[in-house]
Amino acid sequence: MTIKEYVKAKKAEIRDLVLSMPRKPKLVIVQINEDEASYAYIRGKLKDAADLGIEAELIKLPLETSQEELLKKIDELNHNDSVDGFIVQMPLPRQINEETVKLAIAPEKDVDGFHPMSTLNPCTPQGIMNYLKHEGVEFLGKNAVVIGRSNIVGKPMAKMLLKESCNVTVLHSKTSKEDMTRYLKYADIVVVAVGRKHLITKEFEFKPSAILVDVGINRDEEGLHGDIEPGMPVALQTPVPGGVGLLTRLALMENLLKIGR
Ligand code: NAP
């Protein structure tokens, strides 16, 4: 099933589930930026919520909001029983520390899954795992390579693949091209989360049975591009756009429902 078909089917299931709930789950998004990409992500999240019958509210705070004021708002949301989950959209203005904010959100309302005590996983790796499992991908004893080691994608992705008993290798900006070539050649599952347009090209050799998951979102005047060149000769390659972004959005709604129940 393509990602678009999979997401459509899952959304239909969620819509039915929400319809059967006595109280609609509520998501709050806090935005403190004028970032173009953030606006697009937030529009997507609000649209998903509306499609699914989930209540969603956007709280837009001025750019000069202090860390103390934001922490106060977070505290209010932590204690507001009508709010099931909330997110503080990144990036934040310079006067606000990202880590402090992530830790201030009550783990039981942390729909992004960023808090170290959260029982939920971050949405991007969670969305990827759900899709790969749905597609019947085998993990046990398989060679998984994750390129990128960020706290929101690379690291949690590696942890989740390890939990499924993959042999996990994490590569990053200090990995030499020779080593990358060597690791990719034997990989069964590759997740690329770097943010460099077409970092991975046909120049690299892959197993024909390999599964390539492209997390990258790179914008230029021609539109959106992934970290992997399209049309790789492998068993499965997720597209950009219409790929991991949709899985991430779906996982956010699934996380919210897990909280709400
Ligand atoms: P990030 O925090 O900037 O991390 C990028 C990672 O890539 C770092 O670990 C960095 O290594 C590594 N890296 C940089 N250049 C490299 C190179 N030449 N070779 C190998 N590794 C390299 O980014 P992120 O937040 O994880 O996001 C990565 C990409 O995914 C971005 O394009 C972002 O927009 C996209 N994204 C998409 C979704 C979605 O839903 N589709 C969700 C989240 C992110 P070092 O640690 O050594 O610096």
Side-chain angles (χ1 to χ4, degrees):
M1 212 185 244
T2 66
I3 289 180
K4 277 191 179 157
E5 290 163 347
Y6 165 79
V7 170
K8 196 173 167 204
K10 283 285 164 194
K11 280 177 86 173
E13 281 175 27
I14 297 177
R15 208 177 297 121
D16 288 346
L17 181 68
V18 172
L19 269 177
S20 73
M21 292 169 113
R23 187 181 68 82
K24 306 264 164 284
K26 180 169 176 180
L27 171 73
V28 169
I29 302 170
V30 181
Q31 182 184 14
I32 324 166
N33 64 43
E34 292 297 338
D35 179 62
E36 202 188 314
S38 282
Y39 272 105
Y41 295 144
I42 290 171
R43 267 198 307 277
K45 289 167 190 173
L46 294 174
K47 182 183 175 299
D48 289 340
D51 286 352
L52 301 175
I54 288 170
E55 201 185 326
E57 184 191 346
L58 173 63
I59 299 178
K60 184 119 202 294
L61 298 177
L63 285 180
E64 51 293 352
T65 302
S66 68
Q67 179 162 303
E68 203 185 345
E69 286 165 322
L70 175 60
L71 293 178
K72 202 167 155 240
K73 177 51 79 186
I74 290 174
D75 191 54
E76 266 172 50
L77 292 167
N78 282 341
H79 291 98
N80 183 342
D81 290 340
S82 74
V83 176
D84 295 279
F86 66 97
I87 43 189
V88 177
Q89 184 71 45
M90 304 293 159
L92 295 169
R94 230 176 288 157
Q95 71 274 17
I96 300 176
N97 181 278
E98 209 176 287
E99 287 312 307
T100 307
V101 168
K102 282 182 190 163
L103 293 175
I105 299 173
E108 63 276 12
K109 293 204 176 185
D110 176 29
V111 75
D112 261 336
F114 290 160
H115 195 289
M117 300 296 284
S118 179
T119 52
L120 300 167
N121 288 312
C123 300
T124 300
Q126 181 65 64
I128 292 169
M129 287 308 283
N130 290 348
Y131 176 65
L132 295 183
K133 283 184 184 173
H134 178 269
E135 288 304 291
V137 170
E138 284 176 28
F139 296 99
L140 197 128
K142 298 290 179 190
N143 297 330
V145 173
V146 179
I147 313 184
R149 54 176 165 177
S150 70
N151 289 331
I152 61 161
V153 190
K155 280 191 198 130
M157 187 78 244
K159 204 171 147 192
M160 291 169 83
L161 288 163
L162 191 58
K163 199 166 169 228
E164 296 297 330
S165 297
C166 284
N167 315 314
V168 182
T169 307
V170 181
L171 310 180
H172 44 74
S173 70
K174 308 294 182 281
T175 305
S176 69
K177 194 167 177 190
E178 295 69 45
D179 283 337
M180 198 179 284
T181 304
R182 201 174 17 246
Y183 284 117
L184 290 179
K185 191 172 171 185
Y186 297 103
D188 299 298
I189 300 165
V190 181
V191 179
V192 190
V194 170
R196 296 269 165 90
K197 179 182 168 182
H198 303 170
L199 173 78
I200 304 301
T201 60
K202 297 197 183 84
E203 205 187 304
F204 290 93
E205 196 186 326
F206 288 95
K207 285 184 177 182
S209 59
I211 285 161
L212 307 189
V213 178
D214 193 347
V215 182
I217 301 177
N218 307 289
R219 284 185 171 76
D220 66 14
E221 45 304 323
E222 288 160 27
L224 291 190
H225 309 274
D227 288 349
I228 308 176
E229 184 183 2
M232 302 291 282
V234 293
L236 191 160
Q237 176 180 4
T238 67
V240 178
V244 172
L246 296 179
L247 298 176
T248 302
R249 280 167 60 175
L250 178 67
L252 181 78
M253 296 297 145
E254 288 175 337
N255 269 357
L256 182 73
L257 288 194
K258 283 183 204 155
I259 290 176
R261 274 180 286 169

